[in-house]
Amino acid sequence: MEKIQAQAPISLNNCSRENLLDYFENAWQLEDMLLKSIIKEEAFYCNPDDLRNPLIFYLGHAAAFYLNKLQLVNLLKKSPNPDYELLFGVGVDPATPEELNSAIAQIQWPGVAKVWEYRQQVYEIVVEIIKNIPLNLPIHPQHSLWALMMGIEHQRVHFETSSMLLRQLPLDCLQRPQGWHYAPSFGQAYPNQMVEVSGGIVEIGKPQDSPIYGWDNEYGYRQVQVNNFLVSKYMITNGEFKEFVHNGGYENPSYWDEEAWQWKNHYRVKYPKFWLVDKGGNYQHRAMFDVLDLPLDWPVEVNYYEAIAYCRFQGQGIRLMTEAEWNLVTYGNQKNRCYSLENDNFDDYNLNLKFCSPTPVGMLKNAGNNSGIYDLRGNVWEWLEDDFNPLTDFQPHYLYADNSTPFFNSQHKMMLGGAWVTNGTEILPYYRNWFRRNFYQHAGFRIAQSL
């Protein structure tokens, strides 16, 4: 794959067999490319993030997920390896490394070559199903091919998940894929001003008759009255966050609540996870496959704890945006009535691997809204103040009952907008993402203030 590119989502009202096959193969090839960049076999048996499974799990996970879901709708009668569907079928969301280690302590992971062989078997099975099954359009949430779409979108989600894990591997375990291109950096970013946003009524929730695949938590409905507020024109950059670091932000307990302070001290955190310090004391940036000089105009990538600490550093009343505010400033109050795939200019944003890294804030001029607020979509995910929550009339989908429900527990914060690596229906307006407060996921933030 010389040109690294993620295919745009497809309409399920009028897609052809070729559309489905192309969309599936693009998702599969992207994940193959990423996992083949691991050049040391032993790296598959380590977990670069102590809250995630070893990488060998992710080598088999998307493949097993396809077969598990296809069997549930009777599109597959016999599995090539039922033990692998069990072993690789379900991921983890531990609160602590100890919880993860306890869960996987007795697992005997198979050899890397065996899992690659399994992946190839699954690939051939899915291609055969796509080529031969009657389409019977449209594909809706009760259609048997919804299981296929769920598998494709799940694989695209895990392309992003795995990218975060590879970024934490030693560089000598990796080989940068051909065509992997980082964005430039131009030094210090533009001054980051606060912009006033006029309030309004926001409707959140994906229409039930949408012709686009959706996860269960996207459906439902909520109407919110948003008051006027201020928000920063750009996401907070590495250069801005460097001031927080230099001013003792990581040593001042008044910026951190008790849980965050314990996390910071336990991991001895002194600066963001993907910053490095060279022998001369200069900050550098760990990109996916290389170490770069710290790009001061790229958005800083932090977890929720660090984002909130920075807000407190900025002064009383400074906070993150809410889900309703983000929707208002990004889409106005017309999203549900006006959105269509055909009119979405994906290439205006740093999504779908337009670049293989963040971009300088404000670099993509078409990524600004009418108020001149930039990178609300793409670049890096944006942490929000809301706990992950169900919309009114939420119903879990019968094929994946535990996709969302276990995470409506006040332990997971929302993030919206997508990142440079985000692809599939995750890049669309209705996608609602969430992570634990201490997790990292190509995510940054901007600051807001009530009026």
Side-chain angles (χ1 to χ4, degrees):
M1 184 184 290
E2 292 185 9
K3 181 175 175 53
I4 299 173
Q5 187 171 10
Q7 185 176 328
I10 59 176
S11 170
L12 302 182
N13 276 355
N14 53 15
C15 57
S16 67
R17 196 177 306 279
E18 290 72 25
N19 294 149
L20 286 174
L21 186 59
D22 288 348
Y23 194 58
F24 162 72
E25 289 191 327
N26 177 251
W28 195 278
Q29 290 165 6
L30 285 172
E31 190 181 46
D32 262 8
M33 172 200 69
L34 194 68
L35 295 171
K36 286 178 179 177
S37 72
I38 303 172
I39 56 175
K40 289 188 176 180
E41 188 167 303
E42 60 268 25
F44 279 99
Y45 298 98
C46 71
N47 46 344
D49 189 314
D50 61 8
L51 294 171
R52 293 293 193 190
N53 271 314
L55 284 162
I56 189 71
F57 171 83
Y58 298 98
L59 184 62
H61 179 51
F65 187 95
Y66 275 109
L67 298 197
N68 282 332
K69 302 310 176 189
L70 292 170
Q71 288 179 86
L72 287 174
V73 295
N74 298 313
L75 291 182
L76 178 67
K77 302 300 182 185
K78 185 179 179 182
S79 161
N81 195 326
D83 290 341
Y84 278 15
E85 271 86 87
L86 185 62
L87 177 62
F88 296 119
V90 181
V92 293
D93 180 49
T96 65
E98 293 73 26
E99 185 180 324
L100 172 64
N101 292 337
S102 175
I104 66 175
Q106 304 304 315
I107 294 178
Q108 297 295 314
W109 298 105
V112 172
K114 289 289 186 183
V115 184
W116 276 113
E117 181 182 333
Y118 171 69
R119 281 179 65 91
Q120 182 60 30
Q121 291 175 319
V122 173
Y123 170 80
E124 292 170 2
I125 288 170
V126 178
V127 167
E128 192 67 17
I129 289 173
I130 295 172
K131 286 183 176 180
N132 291 287
I133 189 173
L135 281 186
N136 300 324
L137 297 176
I139 300 172
H140 52 76
Q142 307 309 315
H143 195 296
S144 59
L145 282 176
W146 197 259
L148 171 67
M149 296 309 303
M150 183 177 285
I152 295 172
E153 297 299 343
H154 172 266
Q155 186 167 34
R156 291 177 179 277
V157 168
H158 275 279
F159 171 75
E160 181 167 344
T161 302
S162 294
S163 74
M164 177 54 61
L165 297 178
L166 265 65
R167 196 175 171 190
Q168 298 174 68
L169 280 175
L171 289 176
D172 63 2
C173 294
L174 300 168
Q175 182 174 352
R176 180 175 1 107
Q178 184 178 359
W180 194 271
H181 59 294
Y182 301 120
S185 173
F186 305 117
Q188 288 286 356
Y190 307 114
N192 200 354
Q193 306 160 340
M194 298 295 276
V195 178
E196 182 171 348
V197 178
S198 297
I201 295 175
V202 174
E203 294 178 325
I204 300 174
K206 187 172 194 169
Q208 291 290 340
D209 61 354
S210 170
I212 311 162
Y213 177 85
W215 296 100
D216 55 5
N217 65 76
E218 299 175 34
Y219 297 100
Y221 182 77
R222 178 178 298 147
Q223 187 180 85
V224 183
Q225 172 67 55
V226 175
N227 296 323
N228 295 2
F229 66 100
L230 297 173
V231 68
S232 59
K233 182 172 185 173
Y234 304 114
M235 301 192 82
I236 301 303
T237 62
N238 286 314
E240 290 173 288
F241 204 84
K242 191 176 176 183
E243 296 178 13
F244 170 73
V245 175
H246 283 176
N247 280 280
Y250 281 89
E251 286 72 51
N252 190 333
S254 67
Y255 300 149
W256 308 77
D257 61 29
E258 183 177 353
E259 180 184 277
W261 188 251
Q262 289 177 357
W263 165 83
K264 182 196 74 69
N265 288 335
H266 177 78
Y267 288 98
R268 300 175 182 175
V269 181
K270 297 181 178 179
Y271 41 78
K273 188 177 187 70
F274 297 108
W275 290 17
L276 307 172
V277 180
D278 66 15
K279 293 179 180 178
N282 302 304
Y283 289 114
Q284 296 180 299
H285 174 83
R286 170 62 195 266
M288 279 291 301
F289 299 101
D290 300 271
V291 172
L292 314 173
D293 291 338
L294 184 67
L296 297 176
D297 51 359
W298 289 10
V300 68
E301 295 167 88
V302 294
N303 65 20
Y304 176 83
Y305 292 148
E306 293 165 302
I308 290 297
Y310 181 89
C311 288
R312 291 172 179 159
F313 166 71
Q314 288 296 311
Q316 187 173 2
I318 300 298
R319 56 176 177 81
L320 304 178
M321 276 201 289
T322 65
E323 180 183 18
E325 287 172 338
W326 185 91
N327 272 276
L328 178 65
V329 74
T330 306
Y331 297 110
N333 56 11
Q334 300 295 314
K335 178 174 71 173
N336 283 359
R337 289 187 283 273
C338 297
Y339 182 76
S340 70
L341 276 175
E342 295 76 17
N343 295 326
D344 197 335
N345 298 315
F346 306 118
D347 201 50
D348 286 349
Y349 311 99
N350 189 12
L351 293 163
N352 270 352
L353 298 164
K354 181 181 179 73
F355 291 91
C356 296
S357 71
T359 42
V361 297
M363 185 185 91
L364 301 179
K365 297 306 178 187
N366 288 337
N369 71 357
N370 292 335
S371 300
I373 301 167
Y374 286 86
D375 299 315
L376 289 156
R377 293 179 71 183
N379 213 347
V380 297
W381 290 96
E382 182 162 341
W383 283 107
L384 301 178
E385 192 51 59
D386 304 63
D387 291 333
F388 184 48
N389 60 83
L391 300 176
T392 302
D393 299 326
F394 164 80
Q395 292 290 330
H397 194 278
Y398 74 98
L399 289 176
Y400 198 179
D402 59 352
N403 175 59
S404 304
T405 305
F407 309 106
F408 298 144
N409 59 6
S410 77
Q411 299 301 307
H412 298 79
K413 288 293 184 180
M414 292 192 65
M415 55 174 66
L416 294 178
W420 56 270
V421 69
T422 307
N423 64 102
T425 57
E426 279 192 285
I427 70 174
L428 302 183
Y430 302 104
Y431 188 78
R432 304 171 77 227
N433 203 2
W434 71 96
F435 276 92
R436 287 188 181 272
R437 293 185 285 266
N438 56 329
F439 270 38
Y440 291 90
Q441 190 65 27
H442 303 298
F445 66 105
R446 75 182 73 229
I447 58 174
Q449 187 174 22
S450 301
L451 287 175

